[in-house]
Amino acid sequence: AQSVTQLGSHVSVSEGALVLLRCNYSSSVPPYLFWYVQYPNQGLQLLLKYTSAATLVKGINGFEAEFKKSETSFHLTKPSAHMSDAAEYFCAVSEGNAGNMLTFGGGTRLMVKP
Amino acid sequence: DTAVSQTPKYLVTQMGNDKSIKCEQNLGHDTMYWYKQDSKKFLKIMFSYNNKELIINETVPNRFSPKSPDKAHLNLHINSLELGDSAVYFCASSPTGANVLTFGAGSRLTVL
């Protein structure tokens, strides 16, 4: 069975600082991995997706994530936080290509201080 | 044009009532979904549906039922509402066989 753990339900950084949001997964097969972002009162938007083509995946808004099989991790980073990055971030895993196989983590709220 | 739209955005109702949330997508996707997000932001799939197959998460009470008049719409009906049904419900869609979902903005249901 697949699962996702996001370490830290809340992360606070200063504007301009590095953003690091942690995600560890469990999967019995090579997984698909995703990061979604949810801005206040909005639905989830796809940030990036890992599909085994490259271990470093670049997404929108300057975010990227690195797949590390040995650590079963898919952490999300951004070199310099912007106020507009404040949102809820969800890591998700899927063992197949069907949308109903997605399992989401519990989310991490990113707060950006001026 | 909004890709996945849900109505109503907010819904407040009494225990025991029956209510519906509507969802429409204009992306031409064949598969639609309903997710429940609880107060701790945990997202759980309730249903996935395309024009051939309904897959129900076995933990979802049978008071919840999806109804699809056509492939662009997937409405959620809830009977005999309970306090624990209070949550944000998200509709989503994807092409068949794809695992990248497009989400609606959510419908916040409050049961009093």
Side-chain angles (χ1 to χ4, degrees), chain A residues 66-113:
Chain A
E66 185 173 8
F67 172 70
K68 292 187 176 180
K69 183 178 178 180
S70 60
E71 299 177 7
T72 60
S73 69
F74 191 58
H75 302 331
L76 182 71
T77 60
K78 181 174 180 178
S80 177
H82 193 272
M83 297 296 291
S84 61
D85 295 326
E88 192 87 24
Y89 291 80
F90 292 91
C91 183
V93 64
S94 178
E95 291 185 341
N97 218 6
N100 61 2
M101 300 178 73
L102 274 174
T103 297
F104 285 88
T108 298
R109 172 157 292 181
L110 175 66
M111 295 169 284
V112 182
K113 300 175 290 187

Short mmCIF file of all heavy atoms in Angstrom, two decimals, chain A residues 66-113:
data_model
loop_
_atom_site.label_atom_id
_atom_site.label_comp_id
_atom_site.label_asym_id
_atom_site.label_seq_id
_atom_site.Cartn_x
_atom_site.Cartn_y
_atom_site.Cartn_z
N GLU A 66 13.34 16.97 -5.68
CA GLU A 66 14.29 15.94 -6.06
C GLU A 66 13.83 14.59 -5.53
O GLU A 66 13.56 14.42 -4.34
CB GLU A 66 15.68 16.24 -5.52
CG GLU A 66 16.74 15.25 -6.01
CD GLU A 66 18.15 15.64 -5.62
OE1 GLU A 66 18.31 16.60 -4.84
OE2 GLU A 66 19.09 14.99 -6.11
N PHE A 67 13.76 13.62 -6.43
CA PHE A 67 13.40 12.25 -6.07
C PHE A 67 14.65 11.52 -5.61
O PHE A 67 15.64 11.44 -6.35
CB PHE A 67 12.78 11.54 -7.27
CG PHE A 67 12.55 10.06 -7.07
CD1 PHE A 67 11.58 9.62 -6.19
CD2 PHE A 67 13.30 9.12 -7.77
CE1 PHE A 67 11.36 8.27 -6.01
CE2 PHE A 67 13.09 7.77 -7.59
CZ PHE A 67 12.11 7.34 -6.71
N LYS A 68 14.61 11.01 -4.37
CA LYS A 68 15.72 10.23 -3.85
C LYS A 68 15.19 8.87 -3.43
O LYS A 68 14.59 8.72 -2.35
CB LYS A 68 16.39 10.94 -2.67
CG LYS A 68 17.12 12.21 -3.07
CD LYS A 68 17.90 12.78 -1.90
CE LYS A 68 18.70 14.00 -2.33
NZ LYS A 68 19.48 14.59 -1.22
N LYS A 69 15.46 7.89 -4.27
CA LYS A 69 14.91 6.56 -4.02
C LYS A 69 15.46 5.96 -2.73
O LYS A 69 14.73 5.34 -1.96
CB LYS A 69 15.24 5.63 -5.21
CG LYS A 69 14.66 4.25 -5.10
CD LYS A 69 14.99 3.42 -6.31
CE LYS A 69 14.44 2.00 -6.18
NZ LYS A 69 14.77 1.18 -7.37
N SER A 70 16.76 6.16 -2.48
CA SER A 70 17.38 5.56 -1.30
C SER A 70 16.79 6.11 0.00
O SER A 70 16.79 5.43 1.02
CB SER A 70 18.90 5.81 -1.32
OG SER A 70 19.16 7.20 -1.33
N GLU A 71 16.29 7.34 -0.07
CA GLU A 71 15.71 7.96 1.12
C GLU A 71 14.19 7.96 1.07
O GLU A 71 13.55 8.46 1.99
CB GLU A 71 16.22 9.40 1.24
CG GLU A 71 17.72 9.52 1.40
CD GLU A 71 18.21 10.96 1.44
OE1 GLU A 71 17.37 11.88 1.49
OE2 GLU A 71 19.44 11.16 1.42
N THR A 72 13.63 7.41 0.02
CA THR A 72 12.17 7.46 -0.25
C THR A 72 11.63 8.86 0.03
O THR A 72 10.64 9.03 0.75
CB THR A 72 11.39 6.39 0.56
OG1 THR A 72 11.59 6.62 1.96
CG2 THR A 72 11.84 5.00 0.18
N SER A 73 12.31 9.85 -0.55
CA SER A 73 11.91 11.23 -0.30
C SER A 73 11.65 11.98 -1.60
O SER A 73 12.16 11.61 -2.67
CB SER A 73 12.99 11.96 0.51
OG SER A 73 14.15 12.15 -0.27
N PHE A 74 10.90 13.03 -1.47
CA PHE A 74 10.58 13.90 -2.62
C PHE A 74 10.36 15.29 -2.05
O PHE A 74 9.27 15.84 -2.07
CB PHE A 74 9.35 13.37 -3.36
CG PHE A 74 9.09 14.04 -4.69
CD1 PHE A 74 10.04 14.03 -5.69
CD2 PHE A 74 7.86 14.63 -4.94
CE1 PHE A 74 9.79 14.63 -6.92
CE2 PHE A 74 7.59 15.23 -6.17
CZ PHE A 74 8.56 15.23 -7.16
N HIS A 75 11.40 15.88 -1.51
CA HIS A 75 11.30 17.18 -0.85
C HIS A 75 11.17 18.31 -1.86
O HIS A 75 11.80 18.30 -2.93
CB HIS A 75 12.53 17.43 0.03
CG HIS A 75 12.76 16.39 1.08
ND1 HIS A 75 11.72 15.66 1.65
CD2 HIS A 75 13.89 15.94 1.67
CE1 HIS A 75 12.21 14.82 2.54
NE2 HIS A 75 13.53 14.98 2.56
N LEU A 76 10.42 19.31 -1.49
CA LEU A 76 10.15 20.47 -2.33
C LEU A 76 11.01 21.64 -1.86
O LEU A 76 11.07 21.91 -0.66
CB LEU A 76 8.67 20.85 -2.24
CG LEU A 76 8.20 22.02 -3.10
CD1 LEU A 76 8.19 21.63 -4.58
CD2 LEU A 76 6.80 22.47 -2.66
N THR A 77 11.66 22.33 -2.80
CA THR A 77 12.50 23.46 -2.43
C THR A 77 12.26 24.65 -3.35
O THR A 77 11.78 24.51 -4.49
CB THR A 77 13.99 23.09 -2.49
OG1 THR A 77 14.32 22.68 -3.83
CG2 THR A 77 14.34 21.98 -1.53
N LYS A 78 12.61 25.81 -2.83
CA LYS A 78 12.65 27.03 -3.61
C LYS A 78 13.74 27.89 -3.01
O LYS A 78 13.78 28.07 -1.79
CB LYS A 78 11.30 27.75 -3.58
CG LYS A 78 11.28 29.03 -4.42
CD LYS A 78 9.88 29.65 -4.49
CE LYS A 78 9.92 30.91 -5.33
NZ LYS A 78 8.58 31.54 -5.47
N PRO A 79 14.64 28.40 -3.82
CA PRO A 79 15.81 29.11 -3.27
C PRO A 79 15.46 30.36 -2.47
O PRO A 79 16.12 30.66 -1.48
CB PRO A 79 16.62 29.48 -4.53
CG PRO A 79 16.16 28.57 -5.60
CD PRO A 79 14.72 28.28 -5.30
N SER A 80 14.42 31.07 -2.90
CA SER A 80 14.11 32.35 -2.27
C SER A 80 12.60 32.51 -2.16
O SER A 80 11.90 32.62 -3.16
CB SER A 80 14.70 33.49 -3.12
OG SER A 80 14.36 34.74 -2.58
N ALA A 81 12.12 32.53 -0.93
CA ALA A 81 10.68 32.61 -0.69
C ALA A 81 10.14 33.99 -1.00
O ALA A 81 10.79 35.01 -0.74
CB ALA A 81 10.37 32.25 0.76
N HIS A 82 8.93 33.99 -1.53
CA HIS A 82 8.21 35.23 -1.80
C HIS A 82 6.94 35.21 -0.98
O HIS A 82 6.40 34.14 -0.68
CB HIS A 82 7.90 35.31 -3.30
CG HIS A 82 7.44 36.66 -3.74
ND1 HIS A 82 6.10 37.02 -3.70
CD2 HIS A 82 8.11 37.72 -4.22
CE1 HIS A 82 5.98 38.26 -4.15
NE2 HIS A 82 7.18 38.70 -4.46
N MET A 83 6.46 36.39 -0.64
CA MET A 83 5.22 36.47 0.15
C MET A 83 4.08 35.70 -0.50
O MET A 83 3.26 35.09 0.19
CB MET A 83 4.81 37.93 0.36
CG MET A 83 5.79 38.76 1.16
SD MET A 83 5.97 38.20 2.85
CE MET A 83 4.38 38.64 3.54
N SER A 84 4.05 35.70 -1.80
CA SER A 84 2.96 35.04 -2.52
C SER A 84 3.04 33.51 -2.46
O SER A 84 2.13 32.83 -2.91
CB SER A 84 2.94 35.48 -3.98
OG SER A 84 4.17 35.12 -4.60
N ASP A 85 4.15 32.99 -1.90
CA ASP A 85 4.27 31.53 -1.77
C ASP A 85 3.51 31.00 -0.56
O ASP A 85 3.39 29.78 -0.40
CB ASP A 85 5.74 31.13 -1.64
CG ASP A 85 6.54 31.43 -2.89
OD1 ASP A 85 5.97 31.32 -4.00
OD2 ASP A 85 7.73 31.77 -2.76
N ALA A 86 3.03 31.87 0.31
CA ALA A 86 2.29 31.44 1.49
C ALA A 86 1.04 30.67 1.06
O ALA A 86 0.18 31.21 0.35
CB ALA A 86 1.91 32.63 2.35
N ALA A 87 0.98 29.41 1.45
CA ALA A 87 -0.11 28.53 1.02
C ALA A 87 0.04 27.20 1.74
O ALA A 87 0.96 27.00 2.52
CB ALA A 87 -0.06 28.33 -0.50
N GLU A 88 -0.87 26.28 1.41
CA GLU A 88 -0.79 24.90 1.90
C GLU A 88 -0.22 24.06 0.77
O GLU A 88 -0.65 24.17 -0.38
CB GLU A 88 -2.18 24.40 2.27
CG GLU A 88 -2.23 23.11 3.05
CD GLU A 88 -2.12 23.33 4.56
OE1 GLU A 88 -2.44 24.43 5.04
OE2 GLU A 88 -1.69 22.39 5.25
N TYR A 89 0.74 23.20 1.10
CA TYR A 89 1.39 22.38 0.08
C TYR A 89 1.16 20.90 0.40
O TYR A 89 1.34 20.46 1.53
CB TYR A 89 2.90 22.67 0.04
CG TYR A 89 3.19 24.05 -0.51
CD1 TYR A 89 3.08 25.18 0.30
CD2 TYR A 89 3.55 24.22 -1.84
CE1 TYR A 89 3.32 26.44 -0.20
CE2 TYR A 89 3.81 25.48 -2.35
CZ TYR A 89 3.68 26.59 -1.53
OH TYR A 89 3.91 27.85 -2.04
N PHE A 90 0.76 20.17 -0.63
CA PHE A 90 0.44 18.76 -0.48
C PHE A 90 1.34 17.92 -1.36
O PHE A 90 1.45 18.16 -2.57
CB PHE A 90 -1.01 18.48 -0.86
CG PHE A 90 -2.02 19.07 0.08
CD1 PHE A 90 -2.53 20.34 -0.14
CD2 PHE A 90 -2.46 18.37 1.19
CE1 PHE A 90 -3.46 20.90 0.72
CE2 PHE A 90 -3.39 18.91 2.06
CZ PHE A 90 -3.89 20.19 1.82
N CYS A 91 1.94 16.91 -0.76
CA CYS A 91 2.67 15.90 -1.50
C CYS A 91 1.72 14.73 -1.76
O CYS A 91 0.85 14.44 -0.92
CB CYS A 91 3.87 15.43 -0.67
SG CYS A 91 4.95 14.25 -1.47
N ALA A 92 1.86 14.08 -2.90
CA ALA A 92 0.98 12.96 -3.22
C ALA A 92 1.75 11.88 -3.96
O ALA A 92 2.73 12.17 -4.65
CB ALA A 92 -0.21 13.43 -4.07
N VAL A 93 1.31 10.65 -3.82
CA VAL A 93 1.94 9.51 -4.46
C VAL A 93 0.88 8.70 -5.20
O VAL A 93 -0.27 8.64 -4.79
CB VAL A 93 2.67 8.63 -3.43
CG1 VAL A 93 1.69 8.01 -2.44
CG2 VAL A 93 3.49 7.53 -4.11
N SER A 94 1.30 8.10 -6.30
CA SER A 94 0.41 7.21 -7.02
C SER A 94 1.22 6.05 -7.55
O SER A 94 2.32 6.23 -8.08
CB SER A 94 -0.28 7.93 -8.18
OG SER A 94 -1.09 7.05 -8.90
N GLU A 95 0.66 4.85 -7.41
CA GLU A 95 1.35 3.66 -7.91
C GLU A 95 0.93 3.34 -9.34
O GLU A 95 1.40 2.37 -9.92
CB GLU A 95 1.09 2.47 -6.99
CG GLU A 95 1.74 2.62 -5.63
CD GLU A 95 1.58 1.39 -4.75
OE1 GLU A 95 0.68 0.58 -5.01
OE2 GLU A 95 2.35 1.27 -3.78
N GLY A 96 0.05 4.14 -9.88
CA GLY A 96 -0.40 3.86 -11.24
C GLY A 96 -0.75 5.14 -11.95
O GLY A 96 -0.62 6.24 -11.40
N ASN A 97 -1.23 4.98 -13.16
CA ASN A 97 -1.50 6.13 -13.99
C ASN A 97 -2.93 6.64 -13.85
O ASN A 97 -3.33 7.58 -14.52
CB ASN A 97 -1.22 5.77 -15.45
CG ASN A 97 -0.59 6.92 -16.19
OD1 ASN A 97 -0.27 7.95 -15.61
ND2 ASN A 97 -0.42 6.76 -17.49
N ALA A 98 -3.71 6.03 -13.03
CA ALA A 98 -5.11 6.43 -12.89
C ALA A 98 -5.26 7.45 -11.77
O ALA A 98 -4.63 7.36 -10.73
CB ALA A 98 -5.97 5.21 -12.58
N GLY A 99 -6.13 8.42 -12.01
CA GLY A 99 -6.30 9.49 -11.04
C GLY A 99 -6.86 9.03 -9.71
O GLY A 99 -6.64 9.67 -8.69
N ASN A 100 -7.58 7.92 -9.70
CA ASN A 100 -8.16 7.48 -8.43
C ASN A 100 -7.17 6.71 -7.56
O ASN A 100 -7.54 6.15 -6.53
CB ASN A 100 -9.41 6.63 -8.68
CG ASN A 100 -9.12 5.39 -9.49
OD1 ASN A 100 -7.99 5.11 -9.84
ND2 ASN A 100 -10.16 4.63 -9.77
N MET A 101 -5.91 6.67 -7.96
CA MET A 101 -4.91 5.98 -7.17
C MET A 101 -4.03 6.94 -6.38
O MET A 101 -3.07 6.55 -5.75
CB MET A 101 -4.04 5.11 -8.08
CG MET A 101 -4.84 4.06 -8.82
SD MET A 101 -3.85 3.06 -9.93
CE MET A 101 -2.97 2.06 -8.76
N LEU A 102 -4.36 8.23 -6.40
CA LEU A 102 -3.59 9.23 -5.69
C LEU A 102 -3.84 9.14 -4.19
O LEU A 102 -4.97 9.05 -3.74
CB LEU A 102 -3.97 10.63 -6.14
CG LEU A 102 -3.28 11.22 -7.36
CD1 LEU A 102 -3.92 12.55 -7.72
CD2 LEU A 102 -1.80 11.40 -7.11
N THR A 103 -2.74 9.22 -3.43
CA THR A 103 -2.83 9.34 -1.97
C THR A 103 -2.10 10.62 -1.57
O THR A 103 -0.94 10.81 -1.94
CB THR A 103 -2.19 8.14 -1.28
OG1 THR A 103 -2.91 6.95 -1.63
CG2 THR A 103 -2.24 8.31 0.23
N PHE A 104 -2.78 11.48 -0.84
CA PHE A 104 -2.21 12.75 -0.43
C PHE A 104 -1.63 12.67 0.98
O PHE A 104 -2.15 11.95 1.84
CB PHE A 104 -3.28 13.85 -0.46
CG PHE A 104 -3.63 14.31 -1.84
CD1 PHE A 104 -4.63 13.68 -2.57
CD2 PHE A 104 -2.97 15.38 -2.42
CE1 PHE A 104 -4.96 14.10 -3.85
CE2 PHE A 104 -3.30 15.81 -3.70
CZ PHE A 104 -4.29 15.17 -4.42
N GLY A 105 -0.59 13.46 1.21
CA GLY A 105 -0.09 13.68 2.55
C GLY A 105 -0.99 14.66 3.28
O GLY A 105 -1.95 15.19 2.72
N GLY A 106 -0.65 14.90 4.54
CA GLY A 106 -1.50 15.73 5.38
C GLY A 106 -1.33 17.23 5.16
O GLY A 106 -2.07 18.02 5.75
N GLY A 107 -0.40 17.62 4.30
CA GLY A 107 -0.24 19.03 3.98
C GLY A 107 0.74 19.74 4.90
O GLY A 107 0.92 19.36 6.06
N THR A 108 1.40 20.76 4.36
CA THR A 108 2.28 21.64 5.13
C THR A 108 1.91 23.07 4.82
O THR A 108 1.89 23.47 3.65
CB THR A 108 3.77 21.41 4.78
OG1 THR A 108 4.14 20.08 5.12
CG2 THR A 108 4.65 22.40 5.55
N ARG A 109 1.61 23.82 5.85
CA ARG A 109 1.29 25.24 5.66
C ARG A 109 2.58 26.03 5.67
O ARG A 109 3.33 25.99 6.67
CB ARG A 109 0.35 25.75 6.72
CG ARG A 109 0.16 27.27 6.67
CD ARG A 109 -1.12 27.69 7.30
NE ARG A 109 -2.26 27.24 6.53
CZ ARG A 109 -3.53 27.50 6.83
NH1 ARG A 109 -3.81 28.17 7.92
NH2 ARG A 109 -4.51 27.06 6.09
N LEU A 110 2.86 26.72 4.59
CA LEU A 110 4.04 27.57 4.49
C LEU A 110 3.65 29.00 4.81
O LEU A 110 2.74 29.56 4.17
CB LEU A 110 4.64 27.50 3.09
CG LEU A 110 5.82 28.44 2.83
CD1 LEU A 110 7.01 28.05 3.70
CD2 LEU A 110 6.21 28.44 1.35
N MET A 111 4.32 29.58 5.78
CA MET A 111 4.11 30.98 6.13
C MET A 111 5.38 31.74 5.79
O MET A 111 6.49 31.27 6.07
CB MET A 111 3.78 31.09 7.62
CG MET A 111 2.46 30.43 7.97
SD MET A 111 2.18 30.26 9.75
CE MET A 111 3.26 28.89 10.11
N VAL A 112 5.23 32.91 5.18
CA VAL A 112 6.38 33.71 4.78
C VAL A 112 6.32 35.05 5.51
O VAL A 112 5.34 35.80 5.37
CB VAL A 112 6.38 33.94 3.25
CG1 VAL A 112 7.62 34.74 2.85
CG2 VAL A 112 6.35 32.61 2.51
N LYS A 113 7.36 35.33 6.28
CA LYS A 113 7.42 36.56 7.06
C LYS A 113 8.15 37.64 6.28
O LYS A 113 9.14 37.37 5.62
CB LYS A 113 8.15 36.29 8.38
CG LYS A 113 7.51 35.24 9.26
CD LYS A 113 8.36 34.95 10.49
CE LYS A 113 9.63 34.22 10.09
NZ LYS A 113 10.40 33.77 11.29
#
